[in-house]
Amino acid sequence: MFDIGAAELLLIVVVAIIVIGPKEMPRAMRTAGRWIGKLRRMSAHFRSGIDEMVRQAEIEDMEKKWADRNAEIMAKYPTGSEGAGGGPEIHPGAEMQPLASAQEVPDADAAAEAAIKRAAPKKAPEHGGHDDAEPGLPLGDPPPPPPVKDAD
């Protein structure tokens, strides 16, 4: 900070010993340490105050941007009933229709099987995938069962 080198520090120590004296040196060092501590605390307090002012300025900038963006959106969609991004219009007062429950589906098991089949991953043809046919397992005829021996 002050760029005090070893030579300058040695000169300050020699002058302090000559002026203050060796007996009063410990008390002078304690006093200097207290002053340096106070200076550091004041500088940290000042720095935190500056940081807080910068943060407040950034918050005000963000609030201004948000207010401008909100005004732009309100100008584009004044009633709020237009769908964003070309979506469907929302009619105020229109009631939502609930999804059909499992009891209302004629065949809930068939609907679940169809949903599972649609969601199942499909293999690409180059990896042995077929359109709708599953390969039979095992791929050959099963081996004949071993002969049974009578234990007479």
Side-chain angles (χ1 to χ4, degrees):
M1 185 165 141
F2 294 110
D3 289 337
I4 297 177
E8 291 92 358
L9 193 60
L10 182 63
L11 180 66
I12 291 171
V13 168
V14 168
V15 169
I17 289 175
I18 291 172
V19 172
I20 297 173
K23 285 185 180 180
E24 298 295 319
M25 192 58 127
R27 190 163 47 130
M29 294 300 285
R30 275 194 302 268
T31 304
R34 287 187 191 126
W35 279 96
I36 291 171
K38 285 182 182 179
L39 210 89
R40 284 186 177 178
R41 283 191 297 275
M42 284 193 314
S43 116
H45 183 70
F46 179 74
R47 193 176 311 126
S48 68
I50 296 292
D51 289 344
E52 182 63 27
M53 288 189 328
V54 167
R55 260 187 256 122
Q56 289 297 327
E58 288 175 352
I59 288 172
E60 288 173 4
D61 287 345
M62 289 302 295
E63 286 175 350
K64 184 179 182 319
K65 285 180 186 178
W66 290 336
D68 291 344
R69 180 67 178 144
N70 191 27
E72 178 184 323
I73 291 170
M74 291 306 290
K76 191 172 183 180
Y77 305 105
T79 63
S81 64
E82 296 88 3
E89 270 192 38
I90 300 169
H91 300 287
E95 293 193 25
M96 294 177 61
Q97 298 298 321
L99 296 173
S101 65
Q103 290 84 15
E104 295 175 7
V105 176
D107 188 6
D109 290 335
E113 288 293 326
I116 291 170
K117 194 175 237 182
R118 282 192 309 270
K122 304 215 184 326
K123 283 187 176 179
E126 61 266 14
H127 294 289
H130 302 287
D131 290 342
D132 284 332
E134 287 276 332
L137 291 179
L139 295 176
D141 290 331
V148 180
K149 294 183 182 178
D150 259 344
D152 292 310

